Amino acid sequence: MTSFKKSFVKPFARPSELYTVEDSYWKKLTSPVLVKEFGPIDYVNFSRRAPYHFAISCSARVQVYNPVTKVVTKNLNKFKEAAYGATFRADGHLLCAGGEESIVRLFEVNTKSMLRQFRGHKAAVHRTYFTRDGHHIASFSDDKTVSLWDISSQQISGHYEGYHNDYIRAGCVSPISENIVVSGGYDKQINMFDSRTKSVTMSVDHESPVESLIFLPSGSLLISAGGTEVRIWDVLAGKLLAKLTQNHKTVTALCLAKQGTAIVTASLDKHVKIYNVSTFQLSHDITYPSAVLSIDISRDDKTIVAGTVDGIVNITKRDTSVKHNNENKKRQARAAAIVQSDGIDMTVPIMQPDQMSKFDSALRKFNYSQALDLVLVHAVAFKKPHITVYVFDELCRRNGLVQAISGRNSKQLAFLLNFIVRYIGVRKLSKTLTHVASTVIDCYWDSFDTCTLEVRALLTKLHTVVENEILLTKRLLAIDGLVKMLLISSEVLPDTTQTEKIDNKNAVKT
């Protein structure tokens, strides 16, 4: 006699967890510390050296804050007009800044002394950056030019003019080469310059005024922000890789987090969004009380500083204490036990042998009606419905479904119909329960006239639920057809812009 093999109820495939790793990482943020400044916060930049001081460019000064005490440690007030785009050198000892006076200034952070003034621009300088070697400064100006300044000689080592037709408000330098500089202007153009060739090596159109630019650490991918879009460009191929379109107002600032594996965007819609670099998918969203103009994150990801249009410096710390970590682990453990399937939360327990023995024993004795009774109880049917559906599948496989359903009283039949009505719309259960509902109708067709009012009401409800599901399916199929037609028509239609260009050229020749 062959032994009976106990059943194993396979849990549903687990979708993405409700509480993801990114959530546990970024939801450790503590209550923010708010500091009021005298005007909109133009730029925020962290030093790359511990203890990761950060510089705030606001009004006619640059202030250096301590991230622990949240107080100003250095006040650089050598500006007569507004100061813009103050950034640290990689070693944290020097700081450069532009301004409304069209002068690029170089400061020593510890002594607050101004070491250099680079004059040559004819309009405001909004962004300044040290090159990778730390010996040059790249400046981007409203006079539509880009300049490279040699720190030691205080002279221009590179000047690029005539490549932009509007203000240059965004720029960045390559993290792997001291010769590569990228500029973004309000003329929607992004140009990459190489100081060795004194020319443009790449030019692309962002299709909106460019507000911010940043390289990924590899130096092969460039991220641009302008309008409501963030675009990722392949620098080597000179082509667009992806678009991030989660914002509904202008994206004003970009920075990197998690050692360059996360892209952080700030927008006038009061949202700071964090994207995964590997998938370019949104992983977390932080909401601020007002529009965000600038943002930066310390290299250890412990401090987030955002500057707003109303002059508020929002300083937020990540709580990395043991107590907070334990709470997050417990929260993840609770969330991992819940699977959200078509709007219904169902716990997926680890099935132990003693939990399965009761209906397994009934199935082994071919007592199909008893096996069904054991899973048609409230504790199983409405808390672990996948177990009940598994028994239905097993009865169908054994051709014992009719035997298990037949001969039930009104109370048992009502419970069975209530279960079918509740879960027949769930995608993962609908196929089995549709067959069960059809079998129930076939078995009790001749006796429905003598059934109780409760059973009749449940049959009417089942009819309504099935009709609604059919109507929903038809609508989804119609939408699917429309979308396919639009996609096909977009591929078939000729490029009208190219045709117009050819016609215009022919007209000019004529």
Side-chain angles (χ1 to χ4, degrees):
M1 182 176 178
T2 58
S3 61
F4 179 82
K5 185 178 180 180
K6 291 184 178 182
S7 304
F8 172 71
V9 180
K10 186 178 180 181
F12 293 133
R14 193 184 307 277
S16 60
E17 293 181 355
L18 301 178
Y19 196 79
T20 62
V21 175
E22 289 292 331
D23 287 328
S24 68
Y25 190 84
W26 293 110
K27 283 190 176 180
K28 296 176 183 177
L29 300 177
T30 59
S31 298
V33 174
L34 305 180
V35 180
K36 184 70 174 75
E37 287 289 352
F38 292 99
I41 311 302
D42 173 73
Y43 199 70
V44 179
N45 184 253
F46 269 93
S47 172
R48 297 176 62 185
R49 297 288 182 180
Y52 306 111
H53 290 79
F54 59 91
I56 298 293
S57 304
C58 173
S59 186
R61 58 186 178 181
V62 174
Q63 298 190 111
V64 179
Y65 283 79
N66 187 312
V68 179
T69 61
K70 283 89 171 175
V71 298
V72 177
T73 59
K74 299 290 187 294
N75 191 349
L76 310 178
N77 53 7
K78 301 292 184 180
F79 303 86
K80 295 180 181 179
E81 298 183 47
Y84 300 132
T87 56
F88 285 97
R89 197 167 71 172
D91 57 10
H93 297 312
L94 299 181
L95 182 143
C96 63
E100 195 67 34
E101 304 166 65
S102 69
I103 301 173
V104 180
R105 291 178 169 87
L106 178 66
F107 298 90
E108 186 178 8
V109 178
N110 291 332
T111 62
K112 300 190 296 183
S113 59
M114 186 168 60
L115 302 181
R116 295 281 191 275
Q117 290 189 44
F118 303 96
R119 301 175 181 270
H121 285 295
K122 300 176 183 178
V125 179
H126 279 266
R127 293 292 177 263
T128 59
Y129 300 96
F130 288 95
T131 58
R132 182 179 178 273
D133 58 8
H135 298 155
H136 297 81
I137 296 174
S139 60
F140 307 86
S141 173
D142 282 354
D143 63 6
K144 310 169 190 176
T145 65
V146 179
S147 296
L148 275 174
W149 306 89
D150 186 278
I151 294 176
S152 58
S153 64
Q154 205 171 339
Q155 299 296 322
I156 290 181
S157 60
H159 186 71
Y160 306 96
E161 187 174 358
Y163 297 99
H164 286 280
N165 300 320
D166 208 336
Y167 297 155
I168 303 176
R169 295 288 177 88
C172 64
V173 295
S174 172
I176 60 173
S177 173
E178 59 273 11
N179 302 303
I180 301 298
V181 177
V182 182
S183 64
Y186 276 14
D187 58 357
K188 308 176 185 179
Q189 293 296 315
I190 300 172
N191 294 320
M192 179 180 291
F193 305 99
D194 191 332
S195 61
R196 293 167 294 189
T197 61
K198 308 291 183 181
S199 62
V200 173
T201 58
M202 184 190 78
S203 182
V204 293
D205 187 359
H206 184 83
E207 299 181 359
S208 294
V210 184
E211 300 287 347
S212 185
L213 292 169
I214 193 171
F215 270 104
L216 288 182
S218 63
S220 60
L221 296 182
L222 175 70
I223 307 168
S224 62
T228 59
E229 288 187 351
V230 176
R231 299 191 176 192
I232 292 89
W233 305 89
D234 186 339
V235 173
L236 301 179
K239 64 179 183 179
L240 181 65
L241 290 183
K243 294 181 183 180
L244 310 180
T245 58
Q246 301 286 341
N247 295 94
H248 61 273
K249 287 189 178 180
T250 301
V251 181
T252 54
L254 297 170
C255 69
L256 298 177
K258 299 184 70 174
Q259 303 298 319
T261 61
I263 304 170
V264 183
T265 68
S267 172
L268 296 179
D269 60 11
K270 306 179 184 180
H271 286 271
V272 168
K273 298 182 183 294
I274 302 172
Y275 298 87
N276 191 310
V277 168
S278 59
T279 61
F280 300 128
Q281 297 296 316
L282 181 66
S283 58
H284 195 68
D285 191 348
I286 306 172
T287 304
Y288 285 84
S290 56
V292 183
L293 278 183
S294 53
I295 191 167
D296 201 10
I297 299 179
S298 61
R299 201 171 187 183
D300 58 359
D301 292 338
K302 289 184 179 180
T303 309
I304 301 176
V305 178
T308 62
V309 294
D310 52 2
I312 299 295
V313 181
N314 191 305
I315 307 170
T316 312
K317 299 283 289 185
R318 279 183 59 248
D319 187 359
T320 56
S321 62
V322 177
K323 179 181 178 181
H324 197 102
N325 289 337
N326 291 336
E327 290 177 357
N328 281 333
K329 288 179 181 179
K330 291 178 182 178
R331 192 181 304 172
Q332 290 182 31
R334 289 194 301 268
I338 297 177
V339 172
Q340 189 171 11
S341 175
D342 298 275
I344 298 174
D345 291 340
M346 291 178 287
T347 303
V348 181
I350 299 173
M351 304 308 298
Q352 301 296 338
D354 57 342
Q355 291 178 279
M356 311 296 291
S357 59
K358 292 183 179 180
F359 69 78
D360 264 340
S361 179
L363 289 173
R364 184 173 58 221
K365 296 175 181 178
F366 302 100
N367 195 341
Y368 299 144
S369 182
Q370 183 185 358
L372 186 58
D373 290 339
L374 291 170
V375 293
L376 279 179
V377 293
H378 192 277
V380 178
F382 295 112
K383 292 186 177 180
K384 305 170 186 177
H386 60 290
I387 297 178
T388 305
V389 173
Y390 168 78
V391 173
F392 277 127
D393 283 332
E394 185 66 17
L395 292 172
C396 292
R397 188 180 69 83
R398 293 167 175 246
N399 295 322
L401 184 61
V402 175
Q403 178 185 340
I405 291 176
S406 301
R408 295 184 172 271
N409 57 37
S410 297
K411 185 177 180 180
Q412 293 173 328
L413 184 59
F415 192 94
L416 174 59
L417 288 173
N418 194 14
F419 176 81
I420 295 172
V421 168
R422 182 168 182 176
Y423 292 110
I424 197 170
V426 179
R427 178 174 57 85
K428 295 178 180 178
L429 310 180
S430 60
K431 183 178 180 181
T432 301
L433 292 182
T434 301
H435 178 65
V436 172
S438 178
T439 306
V440 169
I441 293 173
D442 291 340
C443 290
Y444 292 91
W445 180 260
D446 296 331
S447 59
F448 279 145
D449 293 337
T450 60
C451 289
T452 61
L453 293 176
E454 183 184 5
V455 173
R456 293 182 183 181
L458 287 169
L459 285 171
T460 304
K461 190 175 181 180
L462 175 62
H463 180 264
T464 304
V465 170
V466 172
E467 278 193 336
N468 290 337
E469 289 293 327
I470 293 172
L471 180 62
L472 177 62
T473 302
K474 288 181 178 179
R475 290 177 178 175
L476 290 175
L477 289 173
I479 294 173
D480 181 61
L482 290 173
V483 171
K484 287 181 179 178
M485 289 176 61
L486 291 173
L487 292 175
I488 292 172
S489 62
S490 65
E491 294 176 358
V492 173
L493 288 175
D495 191 346
T496 56
T497 57
Q498 293 294 332
T499 306
E500 291 176 358
K501 288 180 181 178
I502 294 173
D503 292 340
N504 292 335
K505 288 181 180 179
N506 293 335
V508 170
K509 290 180 179 178
T510 306

